[in-house]
Amino acid sequence: TADKGQIGHTMCAAGAVSSGTAALALAHSVVPAMRTTRTLDRKCDGLGWVLEHPLERSPGRTLVASAGLGGQAAALILEPWKE
């Protein structure tokens, strides 16, 4: 799920915003929806896209990938805390 379509481009803060979104999704067991996407190509059927409304379930392990304007890239993997 990309949050850029919902809040606009946050430039240098994009990675932090995406990481926060992923952490909140894990904490609240919700997969956020891609609210700006209405239709998908038929080749995307079966991939589990979450459109329009959030999905009430834990996303499990979550990947946050960010690419900067100068060519730098970073990836962060989060998963729910288990005691």
Side-chain angles (χ1 to χ4, degrees):
T1 299
D3 45 13
K4 179 178 166 185
Q6 297 176 29
I7 61 172
H9 200 308
T10 56
M11 303 302 273
C12 294
V17 170
S18 294
S19 298
T21 301
L24 285 169
L26 289 169
H28 295 282
S29 296
V30 170
V31 178
M34 297 190 314
R35 294 184 183 268
T36 57
T37 303
R38 297 289 180 248
T39 58
L40 296 173
D41 189 299
R42 288 185 179 264
K43 295 176 189 171
C44 296
D45 285 349
L47 293 178
W49 296 99
V50 180
L51 305 177
E52 295 187 35
H53 303 287
L55 181 62
E56 301 268 340
R57 65 170 268 233
S58 177
R61 196 169 289 134
T62 304
L63 170 68
V64 178
S66 297
L69 298 174
Q72 64 273 42
L76 174 68
I77 297 174
L78 301 172
E79 63 183 342
W81 179 265
K82 295 177 184 167
E83 293 190 34

